[in-house]
Amino acid sequence: MNAMATGPAPLLAVTDLRKYFPITGGVLQRRVATVQAVDDISFTVGRGETLGIVGESGCGKSTTARLLVQLLKPDSGSIVFDGMLVGENGDISTRDLRRNVQMVFQDSYSSLNPRLPIEDTIAFGPSVHGVPVAQAKQRARDILAKVGLDPNQFIRRYPHELSGGQRQRINIARALALEPRLVVLDEPVSALDKSVEAQVLNLLVDLKSDLDLTYVFISHDLNVVQYLSDRVLVMYLGKAVEIGPVEAIYGRPQHPYTRALLSAMPSMDPDRRLEQAPITGDPPNPINPPSGCRFRTRCPHAEDVCARIEPRLAGAPEDGAHRIACHMLIAGSGHSAAPAQGA
Amino acid sequence: MTTETAPHAATARATANEPLVRVEDLRVTFTSRDATVNAVNGVNFTLDQGEVLCILGESGSGKSVTLRALMRLLPPRRSRLGGKVMIGGRDVMAMNDDQLADLRGADVAMIFQEPMTAFDPVYTIGQQITETITRHDGVSQSAARARALELLELVQIPSPERRLKSYPHEMSGGMRQRAMIALALSCRPSLLLADEPTTALDATVQIQILLLLRKLRRELGMAVLFVTHDVGVAVEIADRIAVMYAGRFVETGPVATLIREPEHPYTRGLLSSTVHGAMRGRRLEAIGGSPPNLTALPPGCSFAPRCRYAEPACDAAVPAEVWINPQHMARCIRVAPGQAASGGFTLRKP
Ligand SMILES: Nc1ncnc2c1ncn2[C@@H]1O[C@H](COP(=O)(O)OP(=O)(O)OP(=O)(O)O)[C@@H](O)[C@H]1O
Ligand SMILES: Nc1ncnc2c1ncn2[C@@H]1O[C@H](COP(=O)(O)OP(=O)(O)OP(=O)(O)O)[C@@H](O)[C@H]1O
Ligand code: SF4
Ligand SMILES: [Mg+2]
Ligand SMILES: [Mg+2]
């Protein structure tokens, strides 16, 4: 399942992706500041793989997702889907990309048109893409059954007549109606109750193997990401701080932020309650992120170099597929814990 | 809606001294032209001084309404309130508006998921805390300001001196939550009602607030009624957990018992469908079906339509509270009093 660096070309390859948002102010609406929402992020997603993206609120997860499905235009960087460059001067049109790459949003309510019955909502995408109406409607029924909703019972209903879990199934059905190869799921279960969350997670697992899908799965819930992902990308304030196989990220986390995030997880064991917070303070404002390493203001290991130089992602000593952006792991970085140059 | 129902919680936890909070057969319905929502349907519990009880339940189960009912903070025209609420030996249901204002300002404080609702955006944090203290304690401005500063230190706000002069919108989410806790503590309440105070926070901030609440509870001896939908959070903070479903406590017990030896099928389902580390690659045991419709509750157990152990008797009447031991209660006809965990009934699968 895991895409090896040396294996076949990945389904998705993202290089140095960047998106800054201007903050305007005053009567003239001049740019007064910039949010560096996604700042030079690179990753790949192998065929049939699930890449999990985790990080705290505002770290750029949704912005990354919207860039991937072309709801936003990147400032710079490239996205290559199945060997084809995406974008204005690319090899694949936005229309073709949309058919291949679909997105499921967190808010199951506002992402459905309240005036359309379920059937039309699901059939809409295919008919826009040239599937004859009757066929599109048949496809809607088939997919509805696939996501575990009886077509006879649900096809004429409107969004307000559904529970949250049912609405999220409709959202998934709608995304699948175009028979995409990659599905970007942005917090698809975060608004759901736990008992319903489990239903939807099981569904996502089933659909992936039935339909040969590849997922980018975004969540702030570390347990859910661990459950679903083959590889995991950890973001902090617009930066990728660590990426690697799920076993490595959860079993041998290297970046101080990843470690803090994992140790902040409730233990679910009343005899092993947390006695100390792994890090103090709040994530800083993304408008003026710290210089150098963005985590340095909360990092217990920060040294001079961390404020001066931004650490690049570098392979872990034992495992090149596990990459970390921290001066402590960069040979000769000048951090006292770093291995010596050439060691 | 009488309060003369069979003795329940009270008999099981009967002690010589009265608990800080005693709630019996609490009921709340909301009525509108087209429907009656049965939000709380006979909740019983007690809370001792300095104890932390967590109400754990899914969206719409009635957690927030229960908390608000304790302080009678519900829209009077649209809601009907029944049952008995005693706080510190006083009958809350019998209080007039002045007495209620006293209760809310002094003995009982409340914190919410969204701290912005607790603050007025046009005044600084310092002004608002100071104002509350002078109103409540009748002390001088400068004494109140000194105490406000102490409170910000107590809730571990960095540079508290400077933060007193901040407006709510100038603070980060975690900081605002701390400031709201400081405001809530300004009147030295003996009971803190906390409605999902960490749900909107990031994981690394959430744990800081939970640890802070634990420390404050230890140092100030407050009792806390803490509402959450997150099992992990409940395990971090609770002495006892009450699991709520369709407006009833379906199971209560000490945190360790509830997590390790849950008896009610809903509690079991909730725990086994909660994803955690060791589950990778395994299929999740989801609870089928959808959450209950509070406008049309079944006459029997409200979990029966989703319960894999349901039998015809479950639909006959709402299961009574069964005390498995003096600490552990479940509302399920398949649980027998005094029965040890999983006495025969786990084995009977459909
Ligand atoms: N359209 C926009 N204009 C200005 N700023 C934006 C815009 N969209 C996002 N941002 C900012 O970019 C940053 C990243 O936002 P993003 O929504 O990607 O975060 P996220 O990781 O998805 O957070 P969450 O977990 O809260 O969903 C945030 O600081 C956000 O306020
Ligand atoms: N003012 C109101 N008028 C009518 N119905 C209400 C009112 N307040 C709450 N309800 C209903 O009462 C039920 C219980 O609501 P409550 O807010 O207690 O749920 P909760 O357990 O706190 O859920 P959540 O986890 O989503 O906060 C819900 O069905 C809700 O829609
Ligand atoms: S680079 Fe420096 S500040 Fe950043 S995580 Fe590593 S040690 Fe901490
Ligand atoms: Mg987001
Ligand atoms: Mg609530």
Side-chain angles (χ1 to χ4, degrees), chain A residues 238-286:
Chain A
K239 289 282 177 190
V241 298
E242 185 159 3
I243 183 167
V246 64
E247 305 80 23
I249 298 290
Y250 285 79
R252 300 179 296 283
Q254 303 286 314
H255 196 283
Y257 175 63
T258 313
R259 290 188 177 176
L261 204 56
L262 290 171
S263 14
M265 281 166 80
S267 66
M268 307 282 264
D269 180 349
D271 292 334
R272 284 179 34 225
R273 287 185 178 180
L274 290 173
E275 291 307 327
Q276 218 193 335
I279 44 174
T280 55
D282 293 10
N285 191 329

Side-chain angles (χ1 to χ4, degrees), chain A residues 27-335:
Chain A
V27 276
L28 299 176
Q29 289 298 303
R30 272 196 302 235
R31 175 187 285 236
V32 290
T34 306
V35 180
Q36 304 181 2
V38 171
D39 201 12
D40 294 349
I41 287 204
S42 305
F43 59 86
T44 60
V45 188
R47 288 158 211 278
E49 186 179 59
T50 299
L51 175 75
I53 303 184
V54 290
E56 293 176 294
S57 184
C59 70
K61 302 182 297 295
S62 296
T63 305
T64 304
R66 300 168 83 85
L67 289 166
L68 294 183
V69 297
Q70 297 283 288
L71 283 174
L72 281 175
K73 220 166 95 33
D75 297 347
S76 58
S78 70
I79 301 173
V80 174
F81 178 77
D82 200 13
M84 295 171 286
L85 183 66
V86 173
E88 257 156 39
N89 308 313
D91 310 319
I92 181 171
S93 67
T94 301
R95 187 186 157 88
D96 284 344
L97 185 84
R98 287 269 161 80
R99 211 179 54 224
N100 282 291
V101 184
Q102 280 286 308
M103 178 156 167
V104 175
F105 299 87
Q106 163 174 0
D107 186 346
S108 66
Y109 205 78
S110 65
S111 51
L112 292 174
N113 184 337
R115 282 182 295 278
L116 280 190
I118 298 317
E119 179 175 47
D120 297 356
T121 292
I122 301 175
F124 180 76
S127 31
V128 165
H129 281 266
V131 177
V133 174
Q135 214 178 313
K137 294 203 163 179
Q138 185 53 47
R139 198 186 279 182
R141 299 181 70 88
D142 295 347
I143 290 168
L144 214 47
K146 266 218 152 49
V147 300
L149 298 174
D150 174 10
N152 296 325
Q153 203 186 331
F154 285 95
I155 209 96
R156 301 306 315 162
R157 290 212 195 164
Y158 288 85
H160 73 268
E161 298 172 307
L162 303 171
S163 72
Q166 289 166 343
R167 276 198 299 270
Q168 201 54 294
R169 284 167 191 266
I170 302 297
N171 270 312
I172 293 168
R174 180 181 56 176
L176 296 179
L178 285 165
E179 301 178 341
R181 296 164 66 196
L182 175 71
V183 185
V184 178
L185 300 137
D186 188 6
E187 309 261 10
V189 294
S190 304
L192 303 178
D193 279 332
K194 285 292 155 193
S195 65
V196 179
E197 174 186 278
Q199 295 172 12
V200 174
L201 291 175
N202 282 336
L203 173 69
L204 288 174
V205 170
D206 292 346
L207 290 172
K208 179 162 177 277
S209 64
D210 287 0
L211 305 174
D212 279 330
L213 296 171
T214 300
Y215 287 157
V216 172
F217 183 88
I218 294 172
S219 177
H220 65 274
D221 184 331
L222 292 154
N223 284 313
V224 170
V225 167
Q226 181 179 21
Y227 177 73
L228 275 188
S229 309
D230 300 306
R231 286 191 308 130
V232 177
L233 167 66
V234 184
M235 290 182 71
Y236 188 79
L237 282 183
K239 289 282 177 190
V241 298
E242 185 159 3
I243 183 167
V246 64
E247 305 80 23
I249 298 290
Y250 285 79
R252 300 179 296 283
Q254 303 286 314
H255 196 283
Y257 175 63
T258 313
R259 290 188 177 176
L261 204 56
L262 290 171
S263 14
M265 281 166 80
S267 66
M268 307 282 264
D269 180 349
D271 292 334
R272 284 179 34 225
R273 287 185 178 180
L274 290 173
E275 291 307 327
Q276 218 193 335
I279 44 174
T280 55
D282 293 10
N285 191 329
I287 291 176
N288 284 311
S291 64
C293 173
R294 291 190 183 177
F295 185 57
R296 70 176 163 84
T297 51
R298 301 169 82 196
C299 180
H301 309 288
E303 294 183 4
D304 270 4
V305 59
C306 305
R308 280 187 289 108
I309 300 168
E310 186 188 317
R312 302 281 300 173
L313 275 176
E318 321 273 272
D319 178 7
H322 181 186
R323 292 151 62 76
I324 305 105
C326 169
H327 285 304
M328 292 195 291
L329 290 129
I330 300 173
S333 67
H335 194 288

